Amino acid sequence: EQYTYAFLDEANKARAEETIPFIGLGQRVVLIGDHHQLPPVVEEEDLSGLKRGTAEWHLARKSYFEVLWESELPPVNKIRLEVQHRMHPAIRHLVSQRFYRGSLRDGDAVKQYQRLKLFGQHRSLVWIDSAGADVREVRTGNGSIYNVNHVNICRAIVRMLDERSDPELNIALIGMYREQVRRYGNPRQWTSRDFRADTVDAFEGAEADIVIVDLVRSNPRGMVGFLEVHNRINVAMSRAKRLLIVVGDSQTVRSNRVLRQVFEGFRRSGAIIPWHRVPGIAGGKRTRRRGRAARPSAQNQVQPQATQGESPESTDEQAQRSSPRRLPRLRAWTPGDPLLPGAEVSDSNGTSPPNGARAQQGDAETRRRRHRRRRRRPRQGQAGTVTGDSPAPDPQPEPRPEVHEESD
């Protein structure tokens, strides 16, 4: 049986072998889709007979809708709907500039959307930056990836939105990996309002007032996996109506051109919030820069207490005792100068000599010390000296000459 009109929705997700039989069902066929969003699912075994990177390999991964759009089909047979009726103008601007070359325009309804107040200001774009966290992504045995720190961040964001936003607004959480969605547990425990958590593939064609996109990836090598496919990023960023929140590691996404452009779009039109500033965040630690330990402040220093029977010292005396005693620089010190700042070298009369007299007095004192040391040191070969370890004998007294007194 053949129909007068045959409409195929989401044609961008249908492969050629699925679309061609459908075309034969109608006298006039209308294919509806967006080839900038999710492509058809192609199994690896279907591509096993094709060499990777060839024209045949790329053609097998495309939808028949995209093949027709890029073909020599007359322009009258290709119509682009450029007015969007879903996203806030700020979100539309981000998506349009990154994925549609700035061709999208806003409908009348979305122009009336008000920004939601978040982190002290009214915003439509918020990036929660997880860079610097100790807890990062973990790969499972089947190749999927999860991030416990992002799970805690998303839970805290949902609870914050539940308390501070309009209860009539629904919330959606998009996890870019299936294992991450499983780690969310039962999201119904996070909020009592209309809430949904699923993968990006399951959100094709869906929408929500507030959308949280969890990129999951966080590693020092800058590996983003299938997030480098711009179609998936386009789907994730274009599901929100009023508020779009992205949880991602800015250091990791900078390695990919598309994600780097998206991050810069949030920086210019939205806000970048460090993950530890999210209220109620728990689990995970911040990495601190290596350096010297901070010195205790004057308020945290223990002041000496006066014991019973002792008079308390004045503030100046306590500060003088607690302050470190520093010696002057050697190049500025000459013999005879005081070792401590503020002290003076005085002579026997109690008067301070001038600088020149100080130097002469110090030189004279040095010469006297050297002279005394030389006098105490016995010379080699001198009588009375003893070498070795035997003790020196006591010197014998010289005999005194006898004096005879003559009698008269």
Side-chain angles (χ1 to χ4, degrees), residues 252-407:
T252 301
V253 302
R254 288 180 185 274
S255 61
N256 180 262
R257 180 182 60 85
V258 176
L259 290 175
R260 182 172 62 251
Q261 293 176 353
V262 172
F263 178 77
E264 293 300 328
F266 272 82
R267 183 187 298 276
R268 287 190 293 266
S269 303
I272 309 297
I273 307 296
W275 64 273
H276 51 81
R277 285 187 53 192
V278 178
I281 187 65
K285 300 179 181 179
R286 282 184 292 171
T287 56
R288 297 183 178 180
R289 296 180 179 178
R290 296 182 179 180
R292 297 180 179 178
R295 295 182 179 179
S297 59
Q299 298 179 357
N300 298 332
Q301 291 180 353
V302 179
Q303 301 294 339
Q305 302 292 335
T307 58
Q308 185 176 3
E310 296 180 356
S311 60
E313 298 178 343
S314 62
T315 306
D316 297 339
E317 294 176 352
Q318 293 180 2
Q320 183 177 2
R321 291 184 55 183
S322 60
S323 61
R325 304 177 67 183
R326 298 181 180 178
L327 295 177
R329 299 176 63 180
L330 294 180
R331 67 179 63 178
W333 180 83
T334 57
D337 287 348
L339 295 179
L340 297 177
E344 294 183 356
V345 178
S346 61
D347 56 8
S348 59
N349 297 329
T351 60
S352 301
N355 294 335
R358 289 181 183 177
Q360 296 179 2
Q361 182 180 358
D363 294 341
E365 181 65 21
T366 303
R367 288 194 297 268
R368 284 195 295 270
R369 286 197 299 267
R370 292 177 180 175
H371 182 66
R372 286 195 294 267
R373 284 197 296 269
R374 284 197 298 266
R375 292 182 59 184
R376 288 194 297 266
R377 186 183 308 160
R379 297 182 179 180
Q380 295 290 340
Q382 195 178 30
T385 60
V386 178
T387 59
D389 298 333
S390 60
D394 297 332
Q396 297 293 333
E398 297 179 2
R400 299 179 61 183
E402 296 182 359
V403 179
H404 301 279
E405 297 181 355
E406 297 181 355
S407 59

Side-chain angles (χ1 to χ4, degrees), residues 37-57:
Q37 297 196 9
L38 289 180
V41 179
V42 180
E43 302 295 338
E44 290 295 332
E45 51 267 21
D46 298 337
L47 303 175
S48 57
L50 302 176
K51 186 177 181 180
R52 188 179 185 87
T54 59
E56 294 79 5
W57 183 81

Side-chain angles (χ1 to χ4, degrees), residues 4-63:
T4 306
Y5 291 94
F7 296 87
L8 178 61
D9 195 10
E10 299 291 345
N12 57 288
K13 300 180 66 175
R15 295 183 295 183
E17 59 270 24
E18 299 171 341
T19 307
I20 293 176
F22 176 82
I23 294 177
L25 297 178
Q27 298 178 0
R28 294 186 177 184
V29 179
V30 179
L31 303 180
I32 306 172
D34 184 358
H35 61 281
H36 292 290
Q37 297 196 9
L38 289 180
V41 179
V42 180
E43 302 295 338
E44 290 295 332
E45 51 267 21
D46 298 337
L47 303 175
S48 57
L50 302 176
K51 186 177 181 180
R52 188 179 185 87
T54 59
E56 294 79 5
W57 183 81
H58 286 288
L59 184 62
R61 298 175 67 246
K62 289 183 178 181
S63 63

Side-chain angles (χ1 to χ4, degrees), residues 198-240:
D198 215 328
T199 61
V200 62
D201 294 6
F203 263 92
E204 175 77 11
E207 63 182 23
D209 295 318
I210 304 174
V211 173
I212 306 170
V213 179
D214 184 4
L215 298 181
V216 184
R217 303 306 299 262
S218 177
N219 57 80
R221 294 173 294 176
M223 300 179 61
V224 297
F226 70 82
L227 297 185
E228 64 184 5
V229 180
H230 71 276
N231 304 70
R232 281 188 166 86
I233 303 300
N234 184 16
V235 173
M237 301 298 168
S238 59
R239 301 301 98 193

Side-chain angles (χ1 to χ4, degrees), residues 98-156:
R98 297 298 168 270
F99 305 103
Y100 297 97
R101 299 181 179 180
S103 61
L104 298 184
R105 301 191 305 272
D106 300 322
D108 295 335
V110 298
K111 292 180 181 179
Q112 307 301 322
Y113 285 168
Q114 300 295 326
R115 299 175 186 263
L116 303 182
K117 190 173 183 179
L118 199 64
F119 296 102
Q121 295 184 9
H122 292 83
R123 313 176 191 272
S124 295
L125 295 170
V126 177
W127 183 293
I128 306 298
D129 192 1
S130 64
D134 286 342
V135 181
R136 293 191 167 186
E137 66 181 51
V138 178
R139 185 178 295 272
T140 61
N142 59 1
S144 188
I145 296 175
Y146 68 93
N147 190 324
V148 177
N149 190 40
H150 282 206
V151 173
N152 296 327
I153 295 174
C154 293
R155 182 188 298 112

